[in-house]
Amino acid sequence: MQTARLSWLGRFRFRQHWHRVLVLPWAVPLTCHLLVGPAYLSRPVSFVGATLLMALLVDRWFWGLNRATSAVVQRYPDLHQTGRRVVANVLVCLTVSACFLVATVALFSYLHLFGTTISVEEFFSTAKVVPRTQEWVSRTLGISLKPTLVPLLFYAFDLVVLLLVVLMYEAFYLLGQWQASKINFEQRRKASLQGQLQSLKNQVNPHFLFNTLNSLSSLIADEPRRAEEFVDEMANVYRYLLQTNEQELTPLAVELAFIQSYFHLLKTRHGSGLHLRIRVKEEFLGHRLPPLTLQMLVENAVKHNVIQTHKPLLIDIATTPAGGLRVRNNTQPKNTRVDSNHVGLANIAARYQLLAQAMPLVKADAEHFTVTVPLLAPAT
């Protein structure tokens, strides 16, 4: 039985049903007492019937508030718009609540439900509700209240309750945003680690290491100075791969410095058949992008295209007028099939999606393969 009880509690979501827990137990009998009058407590049929009907109406009131506040949240979703969102929610909730109260009083009054005798005009003019409320409050609190204070207390109490309702909505919204932000951060971190892992796999697979070490071996024998430079660039490549472990974004200038080292390894191996051209405006060097984005795109170009001296592969990295970064290479596909699971492009797209940024644009035709990725403004 205890397990079943815990299971039920686990399925119950306070965030979804808080109004039933915090508002219904007192709002329903209080409103019924004000509308129906003495018959509400003296007649069991009136008590049960009025309570059930009012509970249903109050539940529909909260349904309306949920819809209204959801519309406000869609209009002002960001954290810096909290002030506007709260003010808009207060105004919207006041409007919805006023309509609900008028409709409820009219329903009970015109149909004389459960012995209701008060009219809509009398209710809102407090001609009958004031003495009735004054007597009930005085008896409950054990003090004597002046009739002029009762309407003020009544409407002030309504306003306080409404403000508390808005604050509850805002608290749950901010809590949901915090949880979503935390989940989003973990997803971005996972995507970043997956991208780094894939890059490391690409660089430490036997084929890459064999070619790299073979190039190094040739340089050691014939050109010791170039061999020294090659080792330095190789160290820069692996150092950057390891240092990007915890980074979500990196400055474009840092990413370009890394790609120069990475291209140095590729250039040593492929010779004059491979060319890299970088045309990045200085004003964009401080902009950011997910680390290893350029490495994945350059590696993708080298992997899928023929690289020969008489048929060179040109990789062009340039900024666009719209503030993006375009990586383009001429298309000259290999005759043999290249094993590829498209992890690189998929990982780049996943990172931008988790960052809530525009997705990279991929364009392929008979002459060029182009990928344009957004650049994020520098951190302030």
Side-chain angles (χ1 to χ4, degrees), residues 48 52 55 67 108 191 210 214 235 257 271 321 323:
V48 174
L52 292 178
R67 296 293 296 271
F108 274 76
F210 175 79
N214 191 40

Side-chain angles (χ1 to χ4, degrees), residues 188-203:
R188 293 199 304 267
R189 184 172 179 272
K190 181 180 179 181
S192 178
L193 291 175
Q194 287 176 339
Q196 185 202 30
L197 177 61
Q198 184 61 36
S199 297
L200 285 173
K201 286 180 178 179
N202 291 337
Q203 310 316 318

Side-chain angles (χ1 to χ4, degrees), residues 218-289:
S218 300
L219 291 175
I220 290 175
D222 301 329
E223 301 178 75
R225 179 169 295 181
R226 284 192 61 196
E228 214 174 297
E229 295 177 359
F230 185 89
V231 171
D232 289 340
E233 300 295 353
M234 190 174 178
N236 290 335
V237 167
Y238 283 96
R239 185 182 302 112
Y240 184 78
L241 289 172
L242 295 173
Q243 286 177 345
T244 57
N245 186 21
E246 297 296 333
Q247 297 179 12
E248 290 185 5
L249 296 169
T250 188
L252 178 57
V254 176
E255 185 80 354
L256 288 173
F258 160 72
I259 211 63
Q260 294 277 19
S261 297
Y262 177 69
F263 183 77
H264 185 91
L265 303 185
L266 297 175
K267 181 72 174 178
T268 302
R269 190 173 76 203
H270 295 285
S272 58
L274 184 62
H275 300 278
L276 176 67
R277 181 171 60 192
I278 298 178
R279 297 176 296 152
V280 174
K281 293 185 178 180
E282 186 175 354
E283 61 191 86
F284 291 106
L285 292 177
H287 283 58
R288 300 169 298 160
L289 73 168

